[in-house]
Amino acid sequence: MDIDAFVTAHQPTWDRLEQLVKRRRSLDGAEIDELVELYQRVATHLSIVRSSSRDPLLVGRLSSLVARARSAVTGAHAPAWREFVRFWTVSFPVVAYRAWRWWLGATLASTAVAVAMGAWLVSSPEAQAAVGTPEEIRQLVEHDFADYYSENPAGSFAAQVWVNNAWVAAQAIASAILLGLPILYILLLNAVNVGVTGGVMVAAGKGDVFFGLITPHGLLELTAVFLAAGAGLRLGWAAIDPGPRPRGQVLAEQGRAIVSVALGLVAVLLVSGLIEALVTPSPLPTWARIGIGVVAEAVFIAYVVYFGRRAAREGESGDVERAPDVVPAA
């Protein structure tokens, strides 16, 4: 076999495969099919060269090209650290960012309900009487509310809070399979509970205690719950109105992506739980405790906006099938 003529005849094919391998994460459907076809063709070329030529440079070059093409086609396992970094810089923030309208809506609606409930209790002695007896209200205002944050060791309390809040977030996400309808009840119940407690405390002249204790951890904690609710509602709405794409495809994509929210919120709620256990009951001045909560909330929002918007501009959806170790699919 004339090896020079062979190289001249097939050089364009090898160059094209090289180009596709370099762009493997941004290929469209036709290019993916072309990648697979060229990989098979060049693998045959490699076999021919090995049997007909002793040129080590050519054999080495084609071996390397075929190996990289095989990795792109079959999916090479990415290092764990790379998957970890991708999760926190792409998968979780982009899903949170794409659902921002939904969790902003959940935030505003819940806040409106809580404020309305609290204002009603402050202005209505009858409503206060319906909440509990004067002795029960006095016990809540003077002891139970503040003692809740300090009656248990910080470590066990943080773990308890973390598990409870993670369970609430998981319920909100899981409710997406029922079109998100149970999420509305979860949000309503949570808003009413906050509004009732806040209204009772404010009516008793303990508004500073209420906001001084609930704000440090509550900002980040409630944001996590609203994010879980928003992501779940977005998935539920996708079942009703999937847009121009097939319903099954949209639900599968968003269903896989929402797993990122569930995993990411485990860490977010851990941070809020630590703040609730270590900062909220601490002897720090009220302004310092609230300041820590505001900083934690601002850092989280900035993180979602920065990394989420960047990933969204790059066309990322948070779908686990778009992970670095999986070949792009049409």
Side-chain angles (χ1 to χ4, degrees):
M1 181 183 71
D2 186 342
I3 194 64
D4 292 333
F6 185 84
V7 171
T8 301
H10 298 293
Q11 185 68 52
T13 299
W14 303 341
D15 291 342
R16 176 57 177 166
L17 180 58
E18 181 83 34
Q19 295 173 359
L20 293 175
V21 169
K22 289 181 178 178
R23 296 177 43 243
R24 60 187 178 276
R25 295 199 178 99
S26 60
L27 303 179
D28 57 28
E31 289 173 327
I32 292 171
D33 292 339
E34 183 183 5
L35 170 64
V36 174
E37 180 185 351
L38 293 182
Y39 157 65
Q40 295 171 337
R41 188 184 306 172
V42 176
T44 301
H45 295 168
L46 174 60
S47 178
I48 294 173
V49 169
R50 279 176 171 168
S51 63
S52 306
S53 173
R54 296 184 179 180
D55 184 346
L57 293 179
L58 180 58
V59 171
R61 177 193 172 193
L62 290 181
S63 296
S64 174
L65 179 57
V66 169
R68 288 185 289 122
R70 182 187 302 114
S71 173
V73 170
T74 62
H77 181 68
W81 68 265
R82 186 175 299 170
E83 295 177 355
F84 179 82
V85 170
R86 176 181 168 80
F87 176 82
W88 289 110
T89 59
V90 176
S91 302
F92 173 52
V94 76
V95 178
Y97 181 77
R98 288 184 179 278
W100 73 268
R101 291 181 179 84
W102 291 92
W103 52 289
L104 177 60
T107 301
L108 296 177
S110 296
T111 301
V113 171
V115 170
M117 180 61 66
W120 179 45
L121 279 166
V122 169
S123 62
S124 173
E126 293 80 7
Q128 296 174 34
V131 171
T133 64
E135 292 74 16
E136 291 172 336
I137 292 178
R138 187 179 304 110
Q139 180 67 23
L140 170 66
V141 170
E142 297 181 0
H143 301 286
D144 292 350
F145 185 77
D147 292 348
Y148 168 76
Y149 297 101
S150 57
E151 60 186 5
N152 294 313
S156 61
F157 182 59
Q160 176 185 349
V161 169
W162 180 33
V163 171
N164 178 71
N165 291 334
W167 171 241
V168 172
Q171 283 181 301
I173 291 174
S175 297
I177 63 175
L178 299 176
L179 302 183
L181 295 178
I183 296 175
L184 301 177
Y185 173 75
I186 294 172
L187 291 175
L188 177 62
L189 186 63
N190 184 69
V192 168
N193 286 337
V194 172
V196 167
T197 304
V200 169
M201 294 289 289
V202 171
K206 296 288 186 178
D208 57 334
V209 175
F210 174 76
F211 290 108
L213 289 175
I214 200 173
T215 304
H217 65 277
L219 289 173
L220 188 59
E221 176 184 298
L222 290 175
T223 297
V225 172
F226 296 147
L227 172 53
L233 288 169
R234 182 171 181 252
L235 177 58
W237 181 253
I240 299 173
D241 182 17
R245 293 190 297 161
R247 178 175 281 102
Q249 179 183 350
V250 174
L251 291 178
E253 176 185 297
Q254 293 193 19
R256 290 187 298 264
I258 204 173
V259 174
S260 299
V261 174
L263 295 176
L265 289 183
V266 170
V268 176
L269 289 171
L270 175 60
V271 174
S272 72
L274 290 174
I275 294 175
E276 186 168 359
L278 302 176
V279 176
T280 298
S282 73
L284 290 172
T286 300
W287 66 265
R289 289 185 280 111
I290 292 178
I292 291 173
V294 170
V295 169
E297 173 76 356
V299 168
F300 177 66
I301 297 297
Y303 156 76
V304 169
V305 171
Y306 176 77
F307 288 103
R309 180 164 56 188
R310 185 178 68 176
R313 286 174 176 173
E314 294 174 355
E316 296 284 354
S317 66
D319 188 347
V320 294
E321 289 192 345
R322 294 291 301 275
D325 60 345
V326 179
V327 65

